[in-house]
Amino acid sequence: MKHKIVVYRKVNSKVLDYLRQKCEVIYFDQLDDSSYPSFEAHLKDTHVLMGSGLKIDEELLDKCPQLKMVSNISVGYDNLDLSLLTERNIVATNTPGVLNETVADAVFGVLLSAARRIPELDAYVKDGKWDATITEELFGLDVHGKVIGIVGMGGIGTAIAKRAHFGFGMDVLYHNRSRNEEAESVFNAAYCNLPDLLKQSDFVCSMVPHSNVTKDLFSKEEFNMMKKSAIFINGSRGAVVDEDALYEALINKEIAGAGLDVYKKEPIDVEHPLLKLQNVVTTPHIGSATIETRLKMGMLAANSILKVLAGEIPTNVLNETANIN
Ligand code: DGY
């Protein structure tokens, strides 16, 4: 009997072809009102779910009596109820590592765009407003030589620190659950408590995963502690930011700007007040969204599935106590 895998997000056809050599693959390139009923019908006899973002909770798991594994195609896994998966002996995996450099590129892109006001000035040129040498009201802020504070110094945070230190000569501060010796010795990163990091950084960069502990970590008090010239960047999860407090901090000029790739609700509502602000640069959760990296993530997720179905434990397992046999 071939194992059945239900894929519920767009993945490279190479990944699907690879899995089809050994398994039955049911593919939904997205879940919407028209595809959901068919997706739901396949849950009753699927062995594996592969995708990202979808909430894997009790309601969904109750519809999947044969499920052995959830292969999450992302490094973040706040959409998974891990303790329930473990309780039901369902293995969960994610795709760490392969996206670190790509997400760091995207975060730096947003940081530079916010500091140098690139989207605003792009529109200025294209709208035909450029009729003389620009003056101070359109000037940006330097990035090189400034202080970057990275909250969440895992693999992606470390890749950001590398760019900041070697590429831009920045001083790197970081806050993390544990010390990161590589970042300290190679990128001269200084460990800080959160208030000190917020007070000293010119760029505060959130790379912290979402959990009960980090929900709304960046709130009124935290924005108040930042420099008035600070730019806040969020490249991790929208849920770690109190978006109302961020909006207030921006309109009250408690901070100078923000660069956001992630939001509490995705896609963000086009009427959201944050989208009305000129000093907020946005991207649609593109951290890992390059052709090369999405293929690597898909192949890592696929290989994890084949390992688990063969009774092996992949290195990227999230709930080690789950019994895979
Ligand atoms: C992840 O993999 O969790 C990132 O958010 C992708 O951009």
Side-chain angles (χ1 to χ4, degrees):
M1 181 210 63
K2 277 189 168 180
H3 286 105
K4 177 167 167 175
I5 304 172
V6 172
V7 182
Y8 55 88
R9 87 156 208 200
K10 199 165 178 58
V11 292
N12 192 299
S13 59
K14 288 182 189 148
V15 176
L16 298 173
D17 292 344
Y18 181 62
L19 285 170
R20 282 190 183 116
Q21 291 171 18
K22 295 215 166 128
C23 304
E24 178 192 356
V25 177
I26 309 294
Y27 178 49
F28 299 91
D29 64 357
Q30 61 174 348
L31 292 183
D32 53 25
D33 290 349
S34 70
S35 59
Y36 201 86
S38 168
F39 166 76
E40 202 170 25
H42 281 289
L43 295 179
K44 65 176 181 308
D45 59 353
T46 192
H47 302 107
V48 178
L49 285 172
M50 177 181 181
S52 66
L54 182 69
K55 253 203 161 347
I56 309 285
D57 56 10
E58 188 168 12
E59 193 186 338
L60 188 104
L61 290 177
D62 284 348
K63 296 176 186 158
C64 312
Q66 309 288 329
L67 198 66
K68 288 174 175 296
M69 175 177 190
V70 176
S71 180
N72 217 36
I73 316 175
S74 67
V75 66
Y77 50 89
D78 51 333
N79 58 316
L80 306 182
D81 184 338
L82 263 196
S83 48
L84 188 60
L85 287 164
T86 307
E87 202 181 299
R88 296 191 182 190
N89 266 332
I90 299 167
V91 180
T93 55
N94 65 343
T95 57
V98 292
L99 44 59
N100 291 351
E101 300 293 333
T102 298
V103 178
D105 284 350
V107 166
F108 241 92
V110 170
L111 187 155
L112 286 166
S113 298
R116 299 301 305 269
R117 302 168 63 175
I118 290 171
E120 182 188 344
L121 295 175
D122 172 69
Y124 178 83
V125 175
K126 290 177 182 165
D127 292 346
K129 292 183 182 156
W130 187 25
D131 51 10
T133 308
I134 69 154
T135 48
E136 200 160 317
E137 61 290 354
L138 291 177
F139 289 178
L141 293 167
D142 271 339
V143 173
H144 68 274
K146 293 280 184 73
V147 179
I148 185 170
I150 302 171
V151 184
M153 191 62 111
I156 301 172
T158 305
I160 294 168
K162 176 168 70 178
R163 284 155 178 75
H165 176 71
F166 289 123
F168 291 84
M170 300 173 92
D171 288 333
V172 180
L173 307 178
Y174 79 100
H175 180 71
N176 199 44
R177 272 175 309 189
S178 52
R179 299 287 280 258
N180 182 322
E181 282 171 19
E182 182 198 351
E184 291 187 18
S185 64
V186 187
F187 314 126
N188 212 14
Y191 181 83
C192 255
N193 62 40
L194 188 59
D196 284 349
L197 179 148
L198 298 174
K199 285 177 204 156
Q200 292 172 40
S201 299
D202 298 300
F203 298 91
V204 174
C205 186
S206 161
M207 291 314 305
V208 74
H210 170 220
S211 69
N212 293 340
V213 179
T214 60
K215 184 173 181 302
D216 288 335
L217 176 67
F218 297 95
S219 207
K220 187 177 168 54
E221 201 183 332
E222 286 68 32
F223 292 120
N224 279 344
M225 280 187 229
M226 293 181 199
K227 295 182 181 180
K228 290 206 183 313
S229 56
I231 291 183
F232 174 71
I233 307 294
N234 190 5
S236 59
R237 284 293 179 267
V240 305
V241 176
D242 175 341
E243 289 176 344
D244 295 338
L246 173 60
Y247 178 78
E248 289 299 317
L250 287 161
I251 56 163
N252 294 332
K253 303 203 178 328
E254 278 151 21
I255 64 172
L260 308 173
D261 184 44
V262 289
Y263 311 88
K264 271 212 167 15
K265 176 176 165 281
E266 294 181 4
I268 187 171
D269 190 326
V270 70
E271 295 304 328
H272 196 292
L274 281 171
L275 302 191
K276 311 291 172 207
L277 302 181
Q278 191 78 274
N279 54 348
V280 175
V281 171
T282 60
T283 44
H285 200 151
I286 57 158
S288 64
T290 65
I291 306 284
E292 301 91 330
T293 290
R294 283 292 168 86
L295 176 58
K296 285 184 201 155
M297 291 165 72
M299 289 308 281
L300 175 56
N303 277 316
S304 309
I305 293 172
L306 297 183
K307 270 213 158 106
V308 169
L309 294 179
E312 291 168 43
I313 300 178
T315 51
N316 50 331
V317 72
L318 294 169
N319 51 347
E320 287 177 39
T321 53
N323 174 4
I324 56 177
N325 291 308

